[in-house]
Amino acid sequence: MRHMPQIAHVDVNCFYASAERAFNPSLEGRPVIVLSNNDGCAVTRSPEAKALGIPMGEPWFKIAPRAKQWGLVALSSNYELYGDISARVMELLGRYSAWLEVYSIDEAFLGVKGTPHELLALGRDMKATVRRNVGVPVCVGIAPTKTLAKLANKWAKNNPAFDGVCHWDSVPAADREGLMRRLSVIEIWGVATHLTKRLNAIGIHSILDLSRADPVMIRDRFSVVMMRTVLELQGTPCIPMEEERIGRDQLIFSRSFATPITTAAGIRQVMSVYGQQASARLAKHGLQAKVLTAFAGTSHFNPKDTSYPSVCVPLPMPTADPVLLTKAAHALLPRICEGIRYARAGIMVTDLRPSGNQAPLALFENPHEERHVGTLLEDITRRYGRGSIGLGHGGIRGGPDWTMKRDMLSPRYTTHWDELPLVKAA
């Protein structure tokens, strides 16, 4: 047992709310929600907010009239803070294993080894270290497979007896079966509503039912992916640990506007900003793109104005040049209808490949890439913040009115010099 590989799944509890509480202890014990882009709806709810019956995705305009009565604290999404807190958590977790897979902004898988007693001690140490050094609470689930580790984490989070750490194999088999019998199959990782209905139709209602199913039958009726889930529930690892993917299939920059844009000039500025953001991101990962797609659209709740223009632009050569990407994105402008209220726009770069794989002929060399303008934009933005630099229309100062609405934004404590927390000694 000592040398059997295990997988630890570490997940930050109510991540956005916990990140806010790390720098504002007055939020402890109070109901807190964090809102989506443009202060739209609740995307994170503290346990106290959940106890009030606030559902996930509830629009803020429905919650706002009762917020004062509830003592509810609503905050805009502070992405700069959350990204930095996430990086700190992942850096700490990386000290516990050479094999770390960052699965999302608030969760990761780690490859671990040891006896059940050693693994429980390891999980408790990870939990305490993250809490002490970063200030956010985590739960840890440890099991032979990723699917069981996720299930163990869910159990640790919802059962105070575990104190936030559950080692699957240390729990009596009868208790494990009891849990799996009580939980609907929709609770398992990767099983959504439509798939749940199909499983229910053949008599599989609980996670225990799925774990006892014939993997070959599941493969024939559903898919190889579903068969892997069954095997994972039975203790056979089928979903390998993956290293972080630097080379991606595509990059997308898109966001809804706080205030609709009704002019081609406004969309030009959006395209300029997104083109330069794409350039900086490509340069950061050492990638170049061969195709750019630009798009815009009106709101689905505005049946009077409907317009969804898009354009696909093959680039003359693989590039991360901000000037070329911005010019390509501007190809959308002739398709913009003046006076139409556009609610969102974006660009997508695809056919990505590593930079420098093939040197262009001197005739086609791009002076902006030679001078690493994209890398320069990324460095300055990282140091001085978004909006600190831009080319052409993407550098217009004064704050365009289409930028994201964040009226209840907390300070970006760790990423902006003028918003650093102040500590005073008595």
Side-chain angles (χ1 to χ4, degrees):
M1 288 292 294
R2 181 178 182 84
H3 299 290
M4 289 293 290
Q6 299 270 297
I7 294 176
H9 176 249
V10 184
D11 181 35
V12 182
N13 303 341
C14 302
F15 177 56
Y16 289 178
S18 295
E20 298 285 357
R21 285 173 167 173
F23 288 92
N24 187 355
S26 68
L27 297 177
E28 291 287 351
R30 300 173 64 187
V32 176
I33 60 170
V34 177
L35 302 173
S36 63
N37 291 349
N38 297 316
D39 294 340
C41 58
V43 293
T44 293
R45 304 157 296 153
S46 70
E48 298 82 4
K50 293 176 183 177
L52 293 173
I54 299 174
M56 176 66 81
E58 183 77 353
W60 169 237
F61 73 85
K62 290 185 178 181
I63 305 171
R66 302 186 65 185
K68 187 174 181 180
Q69 173 189 343
W70 286 334
L72 178 68
V73 179
L75 297 167
S76 302
S77 293
N78 191 338
Y79 296 116
E80 296 92 334
L81 175 65
Y82 307 151
D84 186 64
I85 293 294
S86 173
R88 293 167 188 255
V89 171
M90 300 310 165
E91 192 276 331
L92 274 178
L93 294 178
R95 302 179 187 181
Y96 288 90
S97 174
W99 206 334
L100 171 72
E101 177 187 338
V102 179
Y103 185 69
S104 68
I105 192 172
D106 63 343
E107 59 183 318
F109 292 102
L110 295 86
V112 294
K113 287 185 179 180
T115 64
H117 177 75
E118 291 170 339
L119 291 174
L120 275 171
L122 179 69
R124 292 175 184 135
D125 188 43
M126 285 192 287
K127 176 176 178 285
T129 299
V130 173
R131 181 65 167 177
R132 180 175 64 251
N133 291 295
V134 185
V136 295
V138 302
C139 284
V140 183
I142 304 174
T145 70
K146 279 186 172 181
T147 303
L148 288 176
K150 291 268 288 187
L151 186 58
N153 189 304
K154 183 189 292 284
W155 202 0
K157 189 173 294 186
N158 294 289
N159 189 332
F162 289 112
D163 192 27
V165 180
C166 173
H167 179 240
W168 186 256
D169 289 337
S170 296
V171 180
D175 292 345
R176 298 199 303 260
E177 286 194 2
L179 171 74
M180 296 168 77
R181 185 180 292 108
R182 292 192 302 272
L183 291 178
S184 166
V185 71
I186 200 173
E187 298 289 340
I188 206 65
W189 184 33
V191 177
T193 304
H194 178 69
L195 192 53
T196 298
K197 292 179 180 178
R198 292 181 60 197
L199 289 167
N200 291 168
I202 62 171
I204 297 177
H205 298 276
S206 69
I207 294 178
L208 185 63
D209 294 336
L210 185 61
S211 71
R212 292 176 172 174
D214 177 11
V216 176
M217 180 274 291
I218 292 294
R219 180 199 64 192
D220 293 342
R221 292 200 178 196
F222 296 91
S223 66
V224 172
V225 174
M226 198 67 224
M227 180 185 74
R228 290 174 185 156
T229 298
V230 173
L231 290 171
E232 289 248 325
L233 287 172
Q234 295 173 354
T236 302
C238 296
I239 305 174
M241 296 284 288
E242 297 179 0
E243 297 183 14
E244 182 182 5
R245 291 178 60 197
I246 300 299
R248 302 172 183 174
D249 298 327
Q250 61 185 22
L251 287 175
I252 300 176
F253 295 83
S254 174
R255 185 165 290 162
S256 299
F257 306 139
T259 303
I261 295 177
T262 58
T263 65
I267 296 294
R268 177 184 287 110
Q269 187 179 6
V270 175
M271 293 293 105
S272 300
V273 171
Y274 287 165
Q276 291 162 49
Q277 288 180 0
S279 169
R281 188 72 60 82
L282 288 169
K284 176 181 178 181
H285 293 298
L287 295 172
Q288 294 178 321
K290 190 66 172 62
V291 178
L292 182 144
T293 302
F295 55 90
T298 52
S299 171
H300 295 292
F301 301 102
N302 180 15
K304 186 182 299 184
D305 294 332
T306 56
S307 177
Y308 302 95
S310 66
V311 61
C312 182
V313 183
L315 300 167
M317 57 187 169
T319 183
D321 173 30
V323 175
L324 286 181
L325 293 177
T326 299
K327 286 182 177 179
H330 286 175
L332 179 70
L333 299 179
R335 307 188 183 199
I336 297 297
C337 301
E338 294 282 342
I340 295 292
R341 294 168 58 85
Y342 290 98
R344 66 180 298 114
I347 68 168
M348 176 173 64
V349 288
T350 53
D351 193 2
L352 307 187
R353 55 195 70 184
S355 302
N357 271 14
Q358 183 177 355
L361 297 174
L363 179 64
F364 298 103
E365 284 182 353
N366 194 308
H368 307 106
E369 286 192 291
E370 253 183 52
R371 296 167 185 168
H372 307 290
V373 174
T375 304
L376 176 65
L377 290 174
E378 168 66 16
D379 291 343
I380 294 176
T381 300
R382 184 171 60 248
R383 183 169 182 178
Y384 296 105
R386 185 167 293 178
S388 56
I389 190 172
L391 304 177
H393 291 274
I396 293 176
R397 305 293 295 179
D401 59 4
W402 53 266
T403 52
M404 186 169 56
K405 177 183 177 184
R406 295 196 286 182
D407 292 339
M408 295 168 279
L409 183 67
S410 58
R412 294 159 291 186
Y413 300 100
T414 62
T415 59
H416 285 64
W417 285 109
D418 56 347
E419 297 179 23
L420 290 176
L422 298 178
V423 179
K424 297 180 180 179

